[in-house]
Amino acid sequence: MRVHVLTLFPEMIENALNTSITGRAIEKGLLEIDAINIRDYSHDKHFKVDDYTYGGGAGLLMKAEPVCEAYDALTEKLGKKPRVVFMTPVGETFSQKKAEELAKEEDLTILCGHYEGIDERALDEIVTDRISIGDYVLTGGELASLVVIDAVSRLVPGVLHNDISADTESFNNGLLEYPQFTRPESFRGRKVPEVLLSGDHKKVDDWRFQQSLIRTARFRPDLYIKFSDDNEAIKEYYNKHKELEEEISRILKSEV
Ligand code: ADE
């Protein structure tokens, strides 16, 4: 997968992604990060890329020409027009589902704004998706783009050591992930749950599923309700596990 990032701070993108799992994916040729400096497309002799806002208001806005010309040069080089994601708090909230959708692209462009944002005409011209990583305002789109690139690239086949772990974890079935433990068996008096040492895979799977239900109800009741609503299988499961059902309703009523 090739990710083309249009930014005023290419080193921020490169430095962050050249480490750890994404760094290894780049070395293996599974992921290519092409950080493009929008400033290289400035028409100004001082390489200025921003200007005051029409209508007044504090701060400077990124100009349309360098942004669009950086994109034009990219499309010309690629011979196609890849999807362009603009990182902005004025966008749809990023999710695992969106990450899965973007991971299918062979080429993906991410546009990062800085200062007060980007002239809307540039966005109208090139942007296909507007993504927010949450309801807060960052100083620029770069950190947000790194979140998106990280979540997308780990879904690219071969990037994770064990690709299965991408679909047994939080959100794969609408529930949060169960707790996990490694050696030693006892740490500061806290023991690893007995069932995980039993070697009984069926019991382990069942314990994990129950822990996922409990954690989702506790930390993300909204997700739990979405998961359990109209879910015949879970109703049937609770018929056989009355205590668990009671525990979960206590959690949902915040009695624990
Ligand atoms: N740029 C500034 N704030 C942002 C946010 N919350 N999400 C995505 N891009 C942003």
Side-chain angles (χ1 to χ4, degrees), residues 110-193:
I110 303 195
L111 172 61
C112 303
H114 230 86
Y115 314 114
E116 283 307 298
I118 301 181
D119 187 311
E120 194 68 23
R121 292 166 299 180
L123 306 178
D124 288 342
E125 190 83 10
I126 68 170
V127 166
T128 58
D129 304 68
R130 297 179 188 224
I131 296 181
S132 164
I133 61 159
D135 289 340
Y136 39 81
V137 182
L138 303 167
T139 56
E142 284 75 13
L143 282 174
S145 79
L146 291 170
V147 168
V148 170
I149 296 167
D150 189 285
V152 168
S153 57
R154 65 194 286 290
L155 299 175
V156 171
V159 169
L160 292 185
H161 268 314
N162 171 8
D163 281 340
I164 312 162
S165 64
D167 46 60
T168 57
E169 66 192 358
S170 297
F171 300 119
N172 86 301
N173 59 358
L175 292 175
L176 300 184
E177 198 178 36
Y178 44 79
Q180 302 201 75
F181 306 87
T182 184
R183 288 188 289 184
E185 262 180 53
S186 179
F187 173 70
R188 297 188 179 174
R190 296 169 191 270
K191 297 215 161 60
V192 171

Coordinates of all heavy atoms in Angstrom, one line a residue, residues 110-193:
I110 N -3.4 11.5 2.0 CA -4.0 12.1 3.2 C -3.5 13.6 3.2 O -2.3 13.8 3.0 CB -3.5 11.4 4.5 CG1 -3.9 9.9 4.4 CG2 -4.1 12.0 5.7 CD1 -3.9 9.1 5.7
L111 N -4.4 14.4 3.3 CA -4.1 15.9 3.3 C -4.2 16.4 4.8 O -5.2 16.2 5.5 CB -5.2 16.6 2.4 CG -5.1 18.1 2.4 CD1 -3.8 18.7 2.0 CD2 -6.3 18.7 1.6
C112 N -3.1 17.1 5.2 CA -3.0 17.6 6.5 C -3.0 19.1 6.5 O -2.2 19.7 5.8 CB -1.8 17.2 7.2 SG -1.6 15.4 7.3
G113 N -3.9 19.7 7.2 CA -4.0 21.2 7.3 C -3.2 21.7 8.5 O -2.9 20.9 9.4
H114 N -2.8 22.9 8.5 CA -2.2 23.6 9.6 C -2.8 25.0 9.8 O -3.6 25.4 8.9 CB -0.7 23.6 9.5 CG 0.0 23.0 10.7 ND1 0.2 21.6 10.8 CD2 0.5 23.6 11.8 CE1 0.8 21.4 12.0 NE2 1.0 22.6 12.6
Y115 N -2.4 25.7 10.8 CA -2.9 27.0 11.0 C -4.4 26.9 11.2 O -4.9 26.0 11.8 CB -2.5 28.0 9.9 CG -1.0 27.9 9.6 CD1 -0.6 27.5 8.4 CD2 0.0 28.2 10.6 CE1 0.8 27.3 8.1 CE2 1.3 28.1 10.3 CZ 1.7 27.6 9.1 OH 3.0 27.5 8.8
E116 N -5.2 27.8 10.6 CA -6.6 27.8 10.8 C -7.3 26.9 9.8 O -8.5 26.8 9.8 CB -7.2 29.3 10.6 CG -6.9 30.2 11.7 CD -7.4 29.6 13.1 OE1 -8.6 29.3 13.2 OE2 -6.5 29.4 14.0
G117 N -6.6 26.2 8.9 CA -7.2 25.3 8.0 C -6.8 25.6 6.6 O -5.7 26.2 6.3
I118 N -7.6 25.1 5.6 CA -7.3 25.2 4.2 C -8.4 25.9 3.5 O -9.6 25.7 3.8 CB -7.0 23.8 3.6 CG1 -5.8 23.1 4.4 CG2 -6.7 23.9 2.1 CD1 -5.5 21.7 3.8
D119 N -8.1 26.7 2.5 CA -9.1 27.4 1.7 C -10.1 26.3 1.2 O -9.7 25.3 0.6 CB -8.4 28.1 0.5 CG -9.3 28.9 -0.4 OD1 -10.4 28.4 -0.7 OD2 -9.0 30.0 -0.7
E120 N -11.4 26.5 1.4 CA -12.4 25.5 1.1 C -12.4 25.1 -0.3 O -12.7 24.0 -0.6 CB -13.8 26.1 1.5 CG -14.9 25.0 1.6 CD -14.7 24.0 2.7 OE1 -14.0 24.3 3.7 OE2 -15.3 22.9 2.6
R121 N -12.0 26.0 -1.2 CA -12.0 25.6 -2.6 C -11.0 24.5 -3.0 O -11.3 23.7 -3.9 CB -11.7 26.9 -3.5 CG -12.9 27.9 -3.4 CD -12.5 29.2 -3.9 NE -11.4 29.8 -3.2 CZ -10.8 31.0 -3.5 NH1 -11.2 31.7 -4.5 NH2 -9.8 31.4 -2.7
A122 N -9.9 24.5 -2.2 CA -9.0 23.4 -2.5 C -9.6 22.1 -2.0 O -9.4 21.0 -2.7 CB -7.7 23.6 -1.7
L123 N -10.3 22.1 -0.9 CA -11.0 20.9 -0.4 C -12.0 20.4 -1.4 O -12.1 19.2 -1.7 CB -11.6 21.2 1.0 CG -10.6 21.7 2.0 CD1 -11.3 22.0 3.3 CD2 -9.4 20.8 2.2
D124 N -12.8 21.4 -1.9 CA -13.9 21.0 -2.8 C -13.3 20.4 -4.1 O -13.9 19.5 -4.7 CB -14.7 22.3 -3.3 CG -15.6 22.7 -2.1 OD1 -15.8 21.9 -1.2 OD2 -16.0 23.9 -2.2
E125 N -12.1 20.9 -4.4 CA -11.5 20.4 -5.7 C -10.9 19.0 -5.6 O -11.1 18.2 -6.5 CB -10.3 21.4 -5.9 CG -9.6 21.3 -7.2 CD -10.3 22.0 -8.4 OE1 -11.3 22.8 -8.1 OE2 -9.9 21.8 -9.5
I126 N -10.3 18.6 -4.4 CA -9.6 17.3 -4.4 C -10.1 16.3 -3.3 O -9.8 15.1 -3.5 CB -8.1 17.5 -4.2 CG1 -7.7 18.1 -2.9 CG2 -7.5 18.4 -5.4 CD1 -6.2 18.1 -2.6
V127 N -10.8 16.8 -2.3 CA -11.0 15.9 -1.1 C -12.2 14.9 -1.4 O -13.2 15.3 -1.9 CB -11.2 16.7 0.1 CG1 -11.8 15.8 1.3 CG2 -9.9 17.3 0.6
T128 N -12.0 13.6 -1.1 CA -13.1 12.6 -1.2 C -13.7 12.2 0.2 O -14.8 11.8 0.3 CB -12.6 11.4 -1.9 OG1 -11.5 10.8 -1.2 CG2 -12.2 11.6 -3.3
D129 N -12.9 12.3 1.2 CA -13.3 11.9 2.6 C -12.8 12.9 3.6 O -11.6 13.3 3.5 CB -12.7 10.5 3.0 CG -13.0 9.4 2.0 OD1 -12.5 9.5 0.9 OD2 -13.8 8.5 2.4
R130 N -13.6 13.2 4.6 CA -13.1 14.1 5.7 C -13.2 13.3 7.0 O -14.3 12.8 7.3 CB -14.0 15.4 5.8 CG -14.0 16.2 4.6 CD -14.8 17.5 4.7 NE -14.9 18.2 3.4 CZ -14.8 19.5 3.3 NH1 -14.7 20.2 4.3 NH2 -14.9 20.0 2.1
I131 N -12.1 13.1 7.6 CA -12.1 12.3 8.8 C -11.6 13.1 10.0 O -10.5 13.8 10.0 CB -11.2 11.1 8.6 CG1 -11.7 10.2 7.5 CG2 -11.0 10.3 9.9 CD1 -11.0 8.9 7.2
S132 N -12.3 12.9 11.1 CA -11.9 13.4 12.4 C -11.5 12.3 13.3 O -12.0 11.2 13.2 CB -13.1 14.1 13.1 OG -12.9 14.3 14.5
I133 N -10.5 12.5 14.2 CA -10.1 11.4 15.1 C -10.7 11.6 16.4 O -10.5 10.8 17.4 CB -8.6 11.1 15.2 CG1 -7.9 12.3 15.8 CG2 -8.0 10.7 13.9 CD1 -6.5 12.0 16.4
G134 N -11.6 12.6 16.6 CA -12.3 12.7 17.9 C -12.7 14.2 18.1 O -12.2 15.1 17.3
D135 N -13.5 14.4 19.1 CA -14.0 15.8 19.3 C -13.1 16.6 20.1 O -13.4 16.9 21.3 CB -15.4 15.7 19.9 CG -16.5 15.2 18.9 OD1 -16.2 15.2 17.7 OD2 -17.5 14.7 19.4
Y136 N -12.0 17.0 19.5 CA -11.0 17.9 20.1 C -10.3 18.5 19.0 O -10.3 17.9 17.9 CB -10.1 17.2 21.1 CG -9.7 15.8 20.6 CD1 -8.6 15.7 19.7 CD2 -10.3 14.7 21.1 CE1 -8.2 14.5 19.3 CE2 -9.9 13.4 20.6 CZ -8.9 13.3 19.7 OH -8.5 12.1 19.3
V137 N -9.6 19.6 19.2 CA -8.9 20.3 18.1 C -7.4 20.2 18.3 O -6.9 20.6 19.3 CB -9.4 21.8 18.0 CG1 -8.7 22.5 16.8 CG2 -10.9 21.9 17.9
L138 N -6.7 19.7 17.3 CA -5.3 19.6 17.3 C -4.7 20.8 16.6 O -5.4 21.5 15.9 CB -4.8 18.3 16.6 CG -5.4 17.0 17.2 CD1 -5.2 15.8 16.2 CD2 -4.8 16.7 18.5
T139 N -3.4 21.0 16.7 CA -2.8 22.1 16.0 C -2.6 21.9 14.5 O -2.4 22.8 13.7 CB -1.4 22.4 16.6 OG1 -0.6 21.2 16.5 CG2 -1.4 22.9 18.0
G140 N -2.8 20.6 14.1 CA -2.7 20.3 12.7 C -3.2 18.9 12.4 O -3.4 18.2 13.4
G141 N -3.2 18.5 11.2 CA -3.7 17.2 10.8 C -2.7 16.1 10.9 O -3.0 14.9 10.8
E142 N -1.4 16.5 11.1 CA -0.4 15.4 11.0 C -0.5 14.3 12.1 O -0.5 13.1 11.7 CB 1.0 16.1 11.2 CG 1.5 16.8 9.9 CD 0.8 18.2 9.7 OE1 0.2 18.7 10.6 OE2 1.0 18.7 8.6
L143 N -0.7 14.7 13.3 CA -0.9 13.6 14.4 C -2.1 12.8 14.1 O -2.1 11.6 14.2 CB -1.0 14.2 15.8 CG 0.3 14.7 16.4 CD1 0.0 15.4 17.7 CD2 1.2 13.5 16.6
A144 N -3.2 13.4 13.6 CA -4.4 12.7 13.3 C -4.1 11.7 12.1 O -4.6 10.6 12.1 CB -5.5 13.7 12.9
S145 N -3.4 12.2 11.1 CA -3.1 11.3 10.0 C -2.2 10.1 10.4 O -2.4 9.0 9.9 CB -2.3 12.1 8.9 OG -1.0 12.2 9.2
L146 N -1.4 10.3 11.4 CA -0.6 9.2 11.9 C -1.4 8.1 12.5 O -1.2 6.9 12.4 CB 0.5 9.7 12.9 CG 1.6 10.5 12.2 CD1 2.5 11.2 13.3 CD2 2.5 9.7 11.3
V147 N -2.5 8.6 13.2 CA -3.4 7.6 13.8 C -4.1 6.8 12.7 O -4.2 5.6 12.8 CB -4.5 8.4 14.7 CG1 -5.6 7.5 15.1 CG2 -3.8 9.0 15.9
V148 N -4.5 7.5 11.7 CA -5.2 6.8 10.6 C -4.3 5.8 9.9 O -4.6 4.7 9.6 CB -5.8 7.8 9.6 CG1 -6.3 7.1 8.3 CG2 -7.0 8.6 10.3
I149 N -3.1 6.3 9.6 CA -2.1 5.5 8.8 C -1.7 4.3 9.7 O -1.6 3.1 9.2 CB -0.8 6.3 8.4 CG1 -1.2 7.4 7.5 CG2 0.2 5.4 7.8 CD1 -0.1 8.4 7.3
D150 N -1.5 4.4 11.0 CA -1.2 3.3 11.8 C -2.3 2.3 11.8 O -2.1 1.1 11.6 CB -1.0 3.8 13.3 CG -0.4 2.8 14.2 OD1 -1.1 1.8 14.6 OD2 0.8 2.8 14.4
A151 N -3.5 2.7 12.0 CA -4.7 1.8 12.1 C -4.9 1.1 10.8 O -5.3 -0.1 10.7 CB -6.0 2.5 12.5
V152 N -4.7 1.8 9.6 CA -4.9 1.2 8.3 C -3.8 0.2 8.0 O -4.0 -0.9 7.5 CB -5.0 2.3 7.2 CG1 -4.9 1.7 5.8 CG2 -6.3 3.1 7.4
S153 N -2.5 0.6 8.3 CA -1.4 -0.2 7.8 C -1.3 -1.5 8.5 O -0.9 -2.5 7.9 CB -0.1 0.6 7.9 OG 0.2 1.0 9.2
R154 N -1.8 -1.6 9.8 CA -1.7 -2.9 10.4 C -2.7 -3.9 9.9 O -2.7 -5.1 10.2 CB -1.9 -2.7 11.9 CG -3.2 -2.2 12.4 CD -3.1 -1.8 13.8 NE -3.1 -2.9 14.7 CZ -4.1 -3.7 15.0 NH1 -5.3 -3.5 14.3 NH2 -4.0 -4.7 15.8
L155 N -3.6 -3.4 9.0 CA -4.6 -4.3 8.4 C -4.1 -4.8 7.0 O -4.7 -5.6 6.4 CB -5.9 -3.6 8.2 CG -6.6 -3.1 9.5 CD1 -7.9 -2.3 9.1 CD2 -7.0 -4.3 10.3
V156 N -3.0 -4.2 6.6 CA -2.4 -4.6 5.3 C -1.8 -6.0 5.5 O -1.0 -6.2 6.4 CB -1.4 -3.6 4.8 CG1 -0.6 -4.1 3.6 CG2 -2.0 -2.3 4.5
P157 N -2.1 -7.0 4.6 CA -1.6 -8.4 4.8 C -0.1 -8.4 5.0 O 0.6 -7.8 4.2 CB -2.1 -9.1 3.6 CG -3.3 -8.3 3.1 CD -3.1 -6.9 3.5
G158 N 0.4 -9.1 6.0 CA 1.8 -9.3 6.2 C 2.4 -8.3 7.2 O 3.5 -8.5 7.7
V159 N 1.7 -7.2 7.5 CA 2.3 -6.2 8.3 C 2.4 -6.7 9.8 O 3.4 -6.5 10.5 CB 1.5 -4.8 8.2 CG1 1.9 -3.9 9.3 CG2 1.7 -4.2 6.9
L160 N 1.3 -7.3 10.3 CA 1.4 -7.9 11.6 C 2.0 -9.3 11.5 O 1.9 -10.0 10.5 CB 0.0 -8.0 12.2 CG -0.7 -6.7 12.6 CD1 -2.0 -7.0 13.3 CD2 0.1 -5.8 13.4
H161 N 2.8 -9.7 12.6 CA 3.4 -11.0 12.6 C 2.4 -12.0 12.4 O 2.6 -13.0 11.7 CB 4.1 -11.2 14.0 CG 5.5 -10.8 14.0 ND1 6.4 -11.1 13.0 CD2 6.2 -10.1 14.9 CE1 7.5 -10.6 13.2 NE2 7.5 -9.9 14.4
N162 N 1.3 -11.8 13.1 CA 0.2 -12.8 13.1 C -1.0 -12.1 12.7 O -1.7 -11.4 13.5 CB 0.2 -13.3 14.6 CG -1.0 -14.2 14.8 OD1 -1.7 -14.6 13.8 ND2 -1.3 -14.5 16.0
D163 N -1.4 -12.3 11.4 CA -2.5 -11.5 10.9 C -3.8 -11.8 11.6 O -4.7 -11.0 11.6 CB -2.7 -11.8 9.4 CG -1.7 -11.0 8.5 OD1 -1.2 -10.0 9.1 OD2 -1.5 -11.4 7.4
I164 N -3.9 -13.0 12.2 CA -5.2 -13.3 12.9 C -5.4 -12.3 14.1 O -6.6 -12.0 14.3 CB -5.1 -14.7 13.5 CG1 -4.6 -15.7 12.5 CG2 -6.5 -15.2 14.1 CD1 -4.2 -17.0 13.1
S165 N -4.3 -11.8 14.7 CA -4.6 -11.0 15.8 C -5.4 -9.7 15.4 O -6.0 -9.1 16.2 CB -3.3 -10.6 16.6 OG -2.5 -9.9 15.7
A166 N -5.3 -9.4 14.1 CA -6.1 -8.2 13.7 C -7.6 -8.4 13.8 O -8.4 -7.5 13.9 CB -5.7 -7.8 12.3
D167 N -8.0 -9.7 13.7 CA -9.4 -9.9 13.8 C -9.9 -10.6 15.1 O -11.1 -11.0 15.2 CB -10.0 -10.5 12.5 CG -9.3 -11.7 12.0 OD1 -9.2 -12.7 12.7 OD2 -8.8 -11.6 10.9
T168 N -9.1 -10.8 16.0 CA -9.6 -11.4 17.3 C -9.6 -10.3 18.4 O -9.9 -10.6 19.5 CB -8.7 -12.5 17.8 OG1 -7.4 -12.0 18.0 CG2 -8.7 -13.7 16.9
E169 N -9.3 -9.1 18.0 CA -9.1 -8.0 19.0 C -10.3 -7.1 19.1 O -11.3 -7.4 18.5 CB -7.9 -7.2 18.7 CG -8.2 -6.5 17.4 CD -6.9 -5.9 16.8 OE1 -5.9 -6.0 17.4 OE2 -7.1 -5.3 15.7
S170 N -10.2 -6.1 19.9 CA -11.3 -5.1 20.1 C -11.9 -4.7 18.8 O -11.2 -4.4 17.9 CB -10.7 -3.9 20.8 OG -10.2 -4.2 22.1
F171 N -13.2 -4.7 18.8 CA -14.0 -4.2 17.7 C -14.3 -5.2 16.6 O -15.1 -5.0 15.8 CB -13.5 -2.9 17.1 CG -13.4 -1.8 18.1 CD1 -12.1 -1.2 18.4 CD2 -14.5 -1.4 18.7 CE1 -12.1 -0.2 19.3 CE2 -14.4 -0.3 19.6 CZ -13.2 0.2 19.9
N172 N -13.6 -6.4 16.6 CA -13.8 -7.2 15.4 C -15.2 -7.8 15.4 O -15.8 -8.0 14.4 CB -12.8 -8.3 15.4 CG -13.2 -9.5 16.2 OD1 -13.4 -9.4 17.4 ND2 -13.4 -10.6 15.5
N173 N -15.8 -8.0 16.6 CA -17.1 -8.5 16.6 C -18.1 -7.5 17.4 O -19.1 -7.9 17.8 CB -17.2 -9.9 17.3 CG -16.7 -9.9 18.7 OD1 -16.2 -8.8 19.2 ND2 -16.7 -11.0 19.4
G174 N -17.6 -6.3 17.5 CA -18.4 -5.3 18.2 C -18.2 -5.2 19.7 O -18.8 -4.4 20.4
L175 N -17.3 -6.1 20.2 CA -17.0 -6.1 21.6 C -15.5 -5.7 21.9 O -14.7 -5.9 21.0 CB -17.2 -7.5 22.2 CG -18.6 -8.1 22.3 CD1 -18.6 -9.5 22.7 CD2 -19.5 -7.2 23.1
L176 N -15.2 -5.3 23.1 CA -13.9 -4.9 23.4 C -13.1 -6.2 23.8 O -13.7 -7.2 24.2 CB -13.8 -3.9 24.6 CG -14.5 -2.6 24.4 CD1 -14.3 -1.7 25.7 CD2 -14.1 -1.9 23.2
E177 N -11.8 -6.1 23.6 CA -10.9 -7.3 23.9 C -10.9 -7.6 25.4 O -10.9 -6.8 26.2 CB -9.5 -7.0 23.3 CG -8.7 -8.2 23.1 CD -7.3 -7.9 22.6 OE1 -6.7 -6.9 23.0 OE2 -6.8 -8.7 21.8
Y178 N -10.7 -9.0 25.6 CA -10.6 -9.5 26.9 C -9.2 -9.2 27.5 O -8.3 -8.9 26.7 CB -10.8 -11.0 26.9 CG -10.1 -11.7 25.7 CD1 -8.7 -11.9 25.8 CD2 -10.7 -12.0 24.5 CE1 -8.0 -12.5 24.7 CE2 -10.1 -12.5 23.4 CZ -8.7 -12.7 23.5 OH -8.0 -13.2 22.5
P179 N -9.0 -9.3 28.8 CA -7.7 -9.0 29.4 C -6.7 -10.1 29.1 O -7.1 -11.3 28.9 CB -7.9 -8.9 30.9 CG -9.2 -9.6 31.1 CD -10.0 -9.6 29.9
Q180 N -5.4 -9.8 28.9 CA -4.4 -10.8 28.6 C -3.3 -10.8 29.6 O -3.0 -9.7 30.2 CB -3.9 -10.6 27.2 CG -5.0 -10.6 26.2 CD -4.5 -10.9 24.8 OE1 -4.1 -12.0 24.5 NE2 -4.4 -9.9 24.0
F181 N -2.5 -11.9 29.8 CA -1.5 -12.0 30.8 C -0.3 -12.7 30.2 O -0.5 -13.6 29.3 CB -2.0 -12.8 32.0 CG -3.2 -12.2 32.6 CD1 -4.5 -12.5 32.1 CD2 -3.2 -11.2 33.6 CE1 -5.7 -12.0 32.6 CE2 -4.3 -10.6 34.1 CZ -5.6 -11.0 33.6
T182 N 0.9 -12.4 30.6 CA 2.1 -13.2 30.3 C 2.9 -13.5 31.5 O 2.4 -13.2 32.6 CB 2.9 -12.4 29.2 OG1 4.0 -13.3 28.8 CG2 3.5 -11.1 29.7
R183 N 4.0 -14.1 31.5 CA 4.7 -14.6 32.6 C 5.2 -13.4 33.5 O 5.5 -12.3 32.9 CB 5.9 -15.5 32.2 CG 5.4 -16.8 31.8 CD 6.5 -17.8 31.6 NE 7.2 -17.4 30.3 CZ 8.2 -18.2 29.9 NH1 8.6 -19.3 30.5 NH2 8.9 -17.8 28.8
P184 N 5.4 -13.4 34.8 CA 5.2 -14.6 35.6 C 3.7 -14.8 36.0 O 2.9 -13.9 35.8 CB 6.0 -14.2 36.9 CG 5.8 -12.7 36.9 CD 5.8 -12.2 35.5
E185 N 3.5 -16.0 36.5 CA 2.1 -16.4 36.9 C 1.6 -15.6 38.1 O 0.4 -15.3 38.2 CB 2.1 -17.9 37.4 CG 1.7 -18.8 36.3 CD 1.7 -20.3 36.8 OE1 1.1 -20.6 37.9 OE2 2.3 -21.1 36.1
S186 N 2.5 -15.1 38.9 CA 2.1 -14.2 40.0 C 2.9 -13.0 40.0 O 4.2 -13.0 39.9 CB 2.3 -15.0 41.3 OG 1.9 -14.1 42.4
F187 N 2.3 -11.8 40.0 CA 3.0 -10.5 40.0 C 2.5 -9.6 41.1 O 1.3 -9.3 41.1 CB 2.9 -9.9 38.6 CG 3.4 -8.5 38.5 CD1 4.8 -8.3 38.6 CD2 2.6 -7.4 38.5 CE1 5.3 -7.0 38.5 CE2 3.1 -6.1 38.4 CZ 4.5 -5.9 38.5
R188 N 3.3 -9.3 42.0 CA 2.9 -8.5 43.2 C 1.6 -9.0 43.8 O 0.7 -8.2 44.1 CB 2.8 -7.0 42.8 CG 4.1 -6.4 42.3 CD 4.0 -5.0 42.1 NE 5.4 -4.5 41.7 CZ 5.6 -3.3 41.3 NH1 4.7 -2.3 41.2 NH2 6.9 -2.9 40.9
G189 N 1.6 -10.3 43.9 CA 0.4 -10.9 44.6 C -0.8 -11.1 43.7 O -1.8 -11.7 44.1
R190 N -0.7 -10.6 42.5 CA -1.8 -10.8 41.5 C -1.6 -12.0 40.6 O -0.6 -12.0 39.9 CB -1.9 -9.5 40.6 CG -2.3 -8.3 41.4 CD -2.1 -7.1 40.5 NE -2.1 -5.8 41.2 CZ -3.3 -5.2 41.5 NH1 -4.4 -5.6 41.0 NH2 -3.2 -4.1 42.2
K191 N -2.5 -12.9 40.7 CA -2.3 -14.2 40.0 C -3.1 -14.1 38.6 O -4.1 -13.5 38.5 CB -2.9 -15.3 40.8 CG -2.2 -15.5 42.1 CD -2.1 -17.0 42.5 CE -1.1 -17.3 43.5 NZ -1.2 -16.5 44.8
V192 N -2.5 -14.8 37.7 CA -3.1 -15.0 36.4 C -4.4 -15.9 36.6 O -4.3 -16.9 37.4 CB -2.2 -15.7 35.4 CG1 -2.9 -16.1 34.1 CG2 -1.0 -14.9 35.1
P193 N -5.5 -15.5 36.0 CA -6.7 -16.4 36.2 C -6.5 -17.8 35.9 O -5.9 -18.2 34.9 CB -7.8 -15.7 35.3 CG -7.3 -14.3 35.1 CD -5.8 -14.4 35.2

